[in-house]
Amino acid sequence: MKKRGKIKVAFFDFTGCEGCQLNKLNLENQLLDILEHVDIVEFREAMDDKAEFYDIAFVEGSISTPECVNRINDIRRRSKVLVAIGACATNGGINSLKNIHDIDEVRETVYREHKYLFPTLPAMPLHAIVKVDYKIYGCPMTQEEFLKVFKSLVMGKKPQQPDYAVCVECKLKENECLLQRGIFCLGPVTRAGCGARCPSFGQSCIGCRGFVSNINQNASIEVLKRYGYSVEEAVKRMNMFNVTEMKM
C-alpha cells in the first residue's frame, strides 16, 4: 500500500462495548511482528498521540449521535482506507435494537428528566454515513480474521472475505445440524468466516456476523416455522444483531 516508510494505522471507537478494541490488544504474540511494518498513530485504548492522516483507519462501534456523524465524516476524510470492525460498525449490532422503539421513549427510559441533554439517533452502521472499504464482522470480531485482513492490506492485497452461510463451515466440520437437534440456529442465514465457532461447541449461531447477501427473509422464517418456531420468535432472534438488515 505504501512504498516508502511505514504504513500509518489508526484505531477509533464509537458506540459499543469495546470488545473488538480489547481483542486487538490481546494480540500479544503478533503485535511485535505487526509493528515492524506499521506505525500506530492513534489508538485511544493504548496511547495519547494524534495524527493528521492515516493510511488505514480501523473503526469500531455504531453511529448513534449527531456528534458521531461529524466525527466519522472527519475520520473518513483523513483516511485512505477505512475498515469497519465488529457487528456494531458493520451492521449496527445490538445497539440497533433501540431502533424498533420510539426514539423519544428510549431517551425517556435511559435519561429521564435529563433526556434533552443527550441527543441521540437510531443506531447505524458506518456505511450508512460514509464509504466503508472493508468490513470485519462478528461480535466481537475474531483475532484471526482481523489479522488476515490487516496483513492483506499491509501487503497491498484485497482481503478475501466469505459471503456464504455459516452452515457451509458447519458441514465442513461435520457438525450435527443444531436445528435438527431441536436447537434454534441462524447458521443458514448468517455470513460465514467464524469457522462455525459457536455451533462447533454446541451453541446456536445467533447471527452476530450479519446476514449473507440477498437472503430471502420470508423463506428463512418459513424454514424456522417448519422446525416449530413462531414468526414472532424467529423475527425476535433475527433482530438481535440485524435490525438494520431486516426487511419486515
Side-chain angles (χ1 to χ4, degrees), residues 21-230:
Q21 299 276 28
L22 294 175
N23 236 2
K24 292 190 295 292
L25 289 175
N26 288 333
L27 289 166
E28 294 96 345
N29 295 330
Q30 295 85 9
L31 278 178
L32 290 179
D33 291 338
I34 293 173
L35 292 175
E36 285 184 8
H37 304 284
V38 305
D39 277 332
I40 309 296
V41 294
E42 280 199 46
F43 193 172
R44 184 183 62 82
E45 292 273 4
M47 60 194 293
D48 295 326
D49 293 347
K50 303 289 183 182
E52 187 173 359
F53 296 103
Y54 332 106
D55 293 305
I56 306 172
F58 290 102
V59 185
E60 171 194 359
S62 60
I63 304 301
S64 62
T65 68
E67 192 276 335
C68 288
V69 173
N70 292 334
R71 187 164 161 250
I72 190 60
N73 275 308
D74 184 56
I75 291 170
R76 175 70 270 188
R77 181 178 62 80
R78 296 166 183 261
S79 309
K80 291 181 180 176
V81 175
L82 190 148
V83 184
I85 56 176
C88 297
T90 55
N91 64 4
I94 287 180
N95 297 325
S96 298
L97 285 173
K98 76 172 185 179
N99 298 0
I100 61 179
H101 302 282
D102 180 82
I103 198 70
D104 285 333
E105 289 182 4
V106 171
R107 293 171 65 200
E108 176 76 25
T109 300
V110 176
Y111 301 114
R112 298 295 182 185
E113 68 273 21
H114 302 298
K115 67 178 183 179
Y116 296 106
L117 298 175
F118 300 95
T120 187
L121 300 170
M124 295 176 280
L126 303 187
H127 68 256
I129 306 297
V130 297
K131 176 189 175 187
V132 172
D133 298 296
Y134 301 103
K135 298 176 181 178
I136 303 176
Y137 301 92
C139 182
M141 60 147 202
T142 67
Q143 294 177 346
E144 294 85 356
E145 191 170 12
F146 173 75
L147 285 172
K148 180 180 175 183
V149 173
F150 200 170
K151 290 177 179 177
S152 293
L153 293 175
V154 169
M155 292 188 292
K157 298 181 179 179
K158 182 179 179 179
Q160 298 297 314
Q161 296 176 292
D163 190 13
Y164 47 81
V166 168
C167 280
V168 175
E169 294 178 331
C170 217
K171 287 186 178 297
L172 288 172
K173 291 196 169 185
E174 300 183 352
N175 294 330
E176 183 180 0
C177 177
L178 293 182
L179 281 171
Q180 292 181 354
R181 288 173 53 191
I183 300 173
F184 189 97
C185 185
L186 288 177
V189 294
T190 300
R191 183 186 302 273
C194 57
R197 181 167 297 185
C198 294
S200 295
F201 285 98
Q203 301 294 317
S204 63
C205 172
I206 56 176
C208 76
R209 295 179 58 82
F211 297 145
V212 292
S213 300
N214 302 317
I215 71 164
N216 184 329
Q217 291 183 6
N218 290 327
S220 303
I221 290 172
E222 287 300 316
V223 169
L224 290 170
K225 284 171 64 178
R226 288 206 297 271
Y227 283 99
Y229 301 99
S230 67

